[in-house]
Amino acid sequence: MTSLVCGGCGFNPPQQIPAHCLLCGTPKERFVSEAYVNERCTLKETRVDHRVTRLKAEALGVSVYRIETPHRSVLIDCLPTFNPDIPAIDAILFTHRDFMGASDRYHQHWGSEVYLHEAEHQHPLACHHQVTQPFSNDFEYHGINAFVLGGHTPGFTAYIYQDVLFVCDLVVGSAEDMRFNPFGNREKIRLAAQRLRHLLRRRTVRTVCGFNYVTDFDQWMSYFKKLP
């Protein structure tokens, strides 16, 4: 397995280095070692609440989230590089294929379970990664509820734990600049948003965790409801 990652976005290819990054298009000449990234890219940890922590790879602008349930330590999406200094991870629950990062390394190091929608695992970005728990429908894992929405990608999945919603990049921007992710089928994204709005009517949510932000739910929802 390669230990080189994209110097532009942190994409961690599961096999050989592609001519260009499959996520951002950076040429392979700008791929760098994991050690280089870990030395120069500070991993900032910020508490969201008493059970949720944001892990942000500063130079890459990537955020993933660790949930400490009473019995499991869980990542929502994965860091682009392997960092053995973070606490052991029991499971990685993916929103979609774009954020698989160094999940194979965490799986090998700690035996972390890897959850990914089966439609996502068929894509070239993900098909060579280890997935121990493919799924096709909504499920619950130690109090974390998974909701398959589709849209941005065929198996895009949002998660809710207690009063925290994890939406990754279903929408991008914030406040007045909020918009649907431009990649994916526009109509399917609208249907995904419609289902999420319906699900949220029956739940108490206070915080939203996106791929590069943490924000108040009520403010976020006021703009999310207005999206066309």
Side-chain angles (χ1 to χ4, degrees):
M1 182 183 302
T2 179
S3 60
L4 295 180
V5 300
C6 174
C9 69
F11 172 65
N12 193 314
Q15 291 191 323
Q16 73 276 11
I17 302 300
H20 294 83
C21 175
L22 300 179
L23 283 180
C24 72
T26 295
K28 67 178 181 181
E29 290 76 18
R30 288 184 54 201
F31 275 59
V32 296
S33 71
E34 280 190 328
Y36 179 91
V37 174
N38 286 338
E39 288 172 4
R40 291 162 177 78
C41 184
T42 303
L43 183 63
K44 182 179 179 180
E45 298 193 17
T46 306
R47 278 284 183 181
V48 175
D49 64 19
H50 69 294
R51 291 200 178 276
V52 178
T53 302
R54 179 186 186 184
L55 306 178
K56 183 179 180 183
E58 291 285 5
L60 300 174
V62 176
S63 293
V64 302
Y65 298 90
R66 182 173 63 234
I67 302 173
E68 298 292 345
T69 78
H71 303 290
R72 293 289 188 277
S73 181
V74 180
L75 282 183
I76 303 295
D77 292 323
C78 192
L79 293 163
T81 59
F82 176 67
N83 188 330
D85 296 328
I86 68 173
I89 299 299
D90 296 302
I92 306 171
L93 310 184
F94 282 103
T95 58
H96 61 309
R97 64 205 179 212
D98 294 349
F99 289 81
M100 296 201 73
S103 59
D104 287 355
R105 304 284 297 281
Y106 290 98
H107 169 68
Q108 291 178 356
H109 188 71
W110 285 312
S112 308
E113 295 180 278
V114 179
Y115 285 72
L116 179 71
H117 191 282
E118 58 187 17
E120 301 291 300
H121 199 208
Q122 297 170 12
H123 192 274
L125 278 177
C127 64
H128 298 293
H129 281 284
Q130 291 283 332
V131 174
T132 62
Q133 302 291 338
F135 60 87
S136 58
N137 298 302
D138 298 351
F139 67 93
E140 185 268 340
Y141 179 87
H142 290 274
I144 303 169
N145 294 109
F147 301 101
V148 179
L149 303 177
H152 168 42
T153 60
F156 187 93
T157 304
Y159 296 90
I160 297 177
Y161 180 66
Q162 296 182 343
D163 59 1
V164 182
L165 167 66
F166 303 88
V167 293
C168 194
D169 57 357
L170 176 66
V171 292
V172 295
S174 59
E176 295 90 344
D177 296 326
M178 184 185 290
R179 59 199 181 279
F180 289 126
N181 194 308
F183 299 98
N185 181 287
R186 183 74 175 181
E187 184 56 33
K188 289 182 178 179
I189 290 175
R190 289 195 184 99
L191 291 174
Q194 182 179 342
R195 184 181 184 226
L196 182 58
R197 292 185 192 110
H198 177 73
L199 289 166
L200 293 172
R201 290 194 195 108
R202 297 175 287 164
R203 307 187 70 99
T204 298
V205 177
R206 292 185 172 85
T207 306
V208 181
C209 294
F211 81 105
N212 64 355
Y213 64 85
V214 176
T215 192
D216 173 75
F217 172 77
D218 289 338
Q219 182 183 34
W220 180 90
M221 191 63 177
S222 69
Y223 293 104
F224 185 66
K225 289 190 296 187
K226 296 176 184 177
L227 292 177

